[in-house]
Amino acid sequence: MTLLCAVVTMTTFAQSQTTIIPESYIAYHSPEPIEIDGKDTDAAWNKVDWTNLFIDIEGIKKPTYDTQVKMLWDDTYFYIMAKMDEPHVWADITEHDAIIFYNNDFEVFVDPNGDAHNYYEIEVNAINTVWDLFVNKPYRENNVVLNDWTATGMKSAITIDGTLNNPNDTDKGWVLEMAIPWDVFNKAYFEENVPKDDFWRVNFSRVNWDHQITDGKYERKKDAKGNYLPEYNWVWSSQGVINMHEPEKWGYVYFSSTEAGGKDTFEIPNDEKIKWEMYNLFRAQKKHYETNKQWATSVEQLSSSPIVVEGKTIEPKIETHRFGWTISAKSPFTDKMLIIKEDGEFLSQ
């Protein structure tokens, strides 16, 4: 029976394994500070491109309404502009650090060093109410969420093409402009963390709800039993599942020292592509345990075919120890040892 379960697990992994190819974007350097007013009147904004249109979080369905983002940076801030089509712009949550996604909102996720741990989440609704939090591990682990973390010094502004909270007309949408200080991502006081000519893992999510009008006010729509209908999750870089908290699938933002209006190129490093395959094994290891109540001790128990990245065969290993297990692989591109711990933390040595 154990052998049968192992074969089923391996076969399931081989058939269902799909590597998410994250989106990437070059954020150009702004020669002057951006005025945060919810408008794109600053010259630099008009010199950079929008991202691709957002996709449903599972990467399957086309969202009902369009969403796009632009990004810039300077030595002080990471600038973000989000444009959201929306015929009914409404919001009623006014308390900082409340659960903002109970309104339609826009969300920013940032993992500075790409280790899939110690990342940041910022949510904003259409009346500029903010929820900012720090997450030490994804929710699939025994994690800690610091709701009292604050993006001190962050600036945000909103413009609405229409009328807020008015169910008697049809709006066109809303624009959110943000300036997030690099300082809020510091792990130490003197840390130099401005990612000049480097990339961070970033994703964006837009939560959108079906609505109903009650006593002349918008609210989330309920079914016949009084339960709220599920929300829509539209994202920049597909997650493949309804879960934003798989940071290993987020997009890549490269912060080019080239000024806005210039041209630069960015290619996702091959070691990152190895990392994608290693996280496929990581998730397969989790499923193996769910099925067999024990961890796999070899890659062969999880994958029935060789792992090839850019023409190079990768030879990952699973090692178990008294504190858990690791998946490791030596990169044929950089000779670095790439490691994923049992709690999903990624290390490069």
Side-chain angles (χ1 to χ4, degrees), residues 38 86 88-90 126-127 158-165 171-176:
E86 173 57 68
H88 299 279
V89 181
W90 67 276
I127 51 177
I158 288 168
T159 56
I160 297 172
D161 191 349
T163 53
L164 177 71
N165 291 330
D171 310 311
K172 291 186 177 180
W174 56 295
V175 173
L176 167 64

Side-chain angles (χ1 to χ4, degrees), residues 189-208:
Y189 185 78
F190 292 105
E191 181 183 16
E192 295 291 335
N193 71 331
V194 179
K196 180 180 178 181
D197 295 323
D198 200 358
F199 66 85
W200 281 10
R201 302 300 301 273
V202 175
N203 211 349
F204 304 103
S205 172
R206 176 182 174 184
V207 173
N208 199 270

